[in-house]
């Protein structure tokens, strides 16, 4: 099948297209309508249909794959390795569902899950889905205040946590953060369920509130909990965006559309087959973890790898060792993680047999050309960038090896995914941009299955923040700045908030970052626009370097700065030249690894940093503060 025909049909005949895709999953009751779009921008997919995410991810495979591995749990932190077949996963999820039920969890109730990457976290997610409860997974290790905000947003009946996570060989206690968060919250859960890993000998329990998972699991050893069938549009979960551009938004997802979207994506986007193994290096706290550690591969009857650990421990070959040992066919990671590996000896990429690996997919941040080349040449495996958002739940721009794999173009996440009626528009006129013309990446609604149904508890925020940007036309704004080339390849140029207006030219931060990254001495870069009386705005860069000795003294720094600025002039022309480059040892990022440009810019302009609830390393921000002398 040719991509163009496939895509066009998905847009021209959405009902027949998605009606067919709906057959990829089990429906207890068939949908009455494929698409209902009577109240734009809200839309309903598969209304009247009844299904269940847990049934599709687990029970449905028992007939054919009971003894196939469903989940491999590998921790290089504790040294644990566990394998669960679909039959065993079914057993564990039933036990867990019975435990949750005994603590008052039922259809429509919310459960906050605050856990490290352990198999039990996945059992809890699936158990919620089985019971029709709405899970809100909060990235493990977020500060107590963030957890409290998310508790109040969800008003859960139960919070599930572990005693501790592990990072770089050290236990990171979680439970005391839960206690603090519950103290702060206005709508605390009645019960806390603790999966005690035995990592924190000082953990306290609150009598009457805290329950022990292992004890209760023993009580429900043989429990069978029937699946709760949900109408396709009932909520399945709440998940927050990364907070890169401001206060995180609580994305609400449905059941039926999400299941269909994931099932279809496994086939067309990932080109994966049931029985194969997928390794997604994200965390269950992010959308990539929800869609491609948990639900996607399981709905597709694959084996999913749940990995607790860093990419460089015990050594930088650990991921590739996992690929060899478990014959991983489909891998999914992020540019941020690859840039960590890039600081290591490339020989690690060649040490293991990667012949099972078909593709490495990357998403989450712009994939710069040097990194993309480094990893694809190093591995000898196609590396496919794809672009998506917490809101969409699956890729919006992508290569589609399961339909027709077009030649990869470095720096491009490919083409619009089927179902996304994508249009790059001029942000003032909403006129469609021609090839080579920069504009805002938008989607003409209705959004396809799998995308958010609303912002949890806040329909107005859903309408205003995603559909309120243009007066003339109802368009979903991705808040990203993009361009399409003559051949239809898309390129993301940065966030719309980050566009730099300099002397009448509009530049995406990404363009300048990419040019700086072309200098071999540079490891990571953030470019922001600073107010300038003469030019409106000027670009300023913050860089980390591969070899710190190059910036040990002022002369070295000046030399490197000049070389980098010349590089930008050479690649983009003098107008894009950064006004100044600062060299730092780390850049401030969100917990999900995204550059916090807005905070860098605020500091550089001497303003307040804004919402820092998702900031990973406060020292990195401090360094910026020092660098700009504010
Ligand atoms: P917030 O919405 O709270 O500001 P966020 O947008 O970073 O945070 P996510 O949903 O985690 O939250 O990230 C989606 C964003 O990540 C996209 O809008 C885009 O800016 C960026 N992104 C994701 N994949 C890619 C990619 N392949 N290339 C370029 N950018 C990407
Ligand atoms: Mg966003």
């Amino acid at each position: 099948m040719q991509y163009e025909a496939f895509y066009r049909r998905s847009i021209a005949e959405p009902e027949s297209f998605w009606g067919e895709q709906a057959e990829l999953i089990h429906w207890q009751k068939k949908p009455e309508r494929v698409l209902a779009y009577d109240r734009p921008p809200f839309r309903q997919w598969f209304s009247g249909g009844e299904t269940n995410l847990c049934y599709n991810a687990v029970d449905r495979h028992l007939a054919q794959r009971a003894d196939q591995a469903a989940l491999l749990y590998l921790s290089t932190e504790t040294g644990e390795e566990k394998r669960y077949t679909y039959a065993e996963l079914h057993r564990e999820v039933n036990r867990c569902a019975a435990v949750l039920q005994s603590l008052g969890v039922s259809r429509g109730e919310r459960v906050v899950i605050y856990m490290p990457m352990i198999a039990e976290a996945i059992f809890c997610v699936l158990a919620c889905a089985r019971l029709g409860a709405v899970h809100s997974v909060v990235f493990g290790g977020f500060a107590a205040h963030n957890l409290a905000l998310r508790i109040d947003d969800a008003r859960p009946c139960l919070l599930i946590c572990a005693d501790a996570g592990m990072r770089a060989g050290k236990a990171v206690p979680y439970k005391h953060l839960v206690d603090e968060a519950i103290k702060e919250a206005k709508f605390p859960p009645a019960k806390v369920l603790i999966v005690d890993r035995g990592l924190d000998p000082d953990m306290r329990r609150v009598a009457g509130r805290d329950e022990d998972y292992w004890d209760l699991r023993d009580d429900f050893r043989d429990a069978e909990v029937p699946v709760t069938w949900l109408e396709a549009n009932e909520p399945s979960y709440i998940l927050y965006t990364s907070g890169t551009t401001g206060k995180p938004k609580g994305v609400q997802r449905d059941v039926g559309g999400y299941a269909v979207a994931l099932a279809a994506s496994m086939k067309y986007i990932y080109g994966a087959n049931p029985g194969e193994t997928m390794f997604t290096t994200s965390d269950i706290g992010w959308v990539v973890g929800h869609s491609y550690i948990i639900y996607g591969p399981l709905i597709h009857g694959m084996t999913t790898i749940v990995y607790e650990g860093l990419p460089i421990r015990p050594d930088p070959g650990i991921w590739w060792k996992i690929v060899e040992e478990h014959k991983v066919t489909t891998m999914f990671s992020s540019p941020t993680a690859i840039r960590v590996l890039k600081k290591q000896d490339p020989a690690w990429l060649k040490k293991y047999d990667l012949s099972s690996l078909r593709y490495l997919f990357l998403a989450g941040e712009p994939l710069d050309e040097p990194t993309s080349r480094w990893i694809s040449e190093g591995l000898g495996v196609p590396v496919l960038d794809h672009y998506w958002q917490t809101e969409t739940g699956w890729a919006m721009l992508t290569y589609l090896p399961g339909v027709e794999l077009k030649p990869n173009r470095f720096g491009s996440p490919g083409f619009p995914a089927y179902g996304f009626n994508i249009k790059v528009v001029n942000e003032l006129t909403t006129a469609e941009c021609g090839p080579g013309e920069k504009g805002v990446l938008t989607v003409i609604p209705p959004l396809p299955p799998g995308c958010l149904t609303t912002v949890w508890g806040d329909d107005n925020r859903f309408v205003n923040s995603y559909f309120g940007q243009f007066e003339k036309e109802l368009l979903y704004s991705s808040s990203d700045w993009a361009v399409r080339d003559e051949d239809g390849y898309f390129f993301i140029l940065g966030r719309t908030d980050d566009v730099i207006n300099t002397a009448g030219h509009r530049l995406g931060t990404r363009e300048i970052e990419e040019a700086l990254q072309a200098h071999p001495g540079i490891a990571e870069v953030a470019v922001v626009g600073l107010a300038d009386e003469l030019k409106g705005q000027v670009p300023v860069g913050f860089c980390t370097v591969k070899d710190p000795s190059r910036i040990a003294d002022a002369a070295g720094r000046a030399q490197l700065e000049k070389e980098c600025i010349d590089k930008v002039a050479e690649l983009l022309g003098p107008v894009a030249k950064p006004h100044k480059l600062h060299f730092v040892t780390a850049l401030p990022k969100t917990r999900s690894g995204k550059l916090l440009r807005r905070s860098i810019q605020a500091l550089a302009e001497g303003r307040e940093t804004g919402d820092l609830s998702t900031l990973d390393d406060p020292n990195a921000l401090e360094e910026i503060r020092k660098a700009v002398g504010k």
Side-chain angles (χ1 to χ4, degrees), residues 241-242 244-245 249 389-391 466 478-480 495:
T241 59
S242 289
T244 311
T245 57
K249 300 166 280 268
Q389 306 184 304
T390 307
E391 290 86 346
Y466 296 111
S478 70
S479 302
D480 285 305
R495 312 276 181 156

Side-chain angles (χ1 to χ4, degrees), residues 137 237 239-242 251 253 258 262 280 282-295 332 364 388-394 450 592 594:
V137 180
Y237 68 74
L239 181 66
Y240 296 85
T241 59
S242 289
V251 161
R253 196 92 63 209
Y258 187 52
L262 292 183
T280 299
S282 182
D283 186 284
I284 54 157
W286 314 125
V287 67
V288 174
H290 280 62
S291 292
Y292 296 111
I293 293 175
I294 307 178
Y295 290 119
F332 186 158
W388 48 299
Q389 306 184 304
T390 307
E391 290 86 346
T392 62
W394 60 288
S592 56
K594 290 161 191 270

Side-chain angles (χ1 to χ4, degrees), residues 28 70 91 94-95 312 425 431 433 446 560-561 563 585 588 590 593 623:
Q28 188 65 9
R91 195 80 299 267
N94 272 277
R95 283 175 186 152
I312 49 170
V425 301
C433 295
L560 185 59
E561 181 177 7
E563 285 173 25
T585 59
T590 65
E623 243 196 281

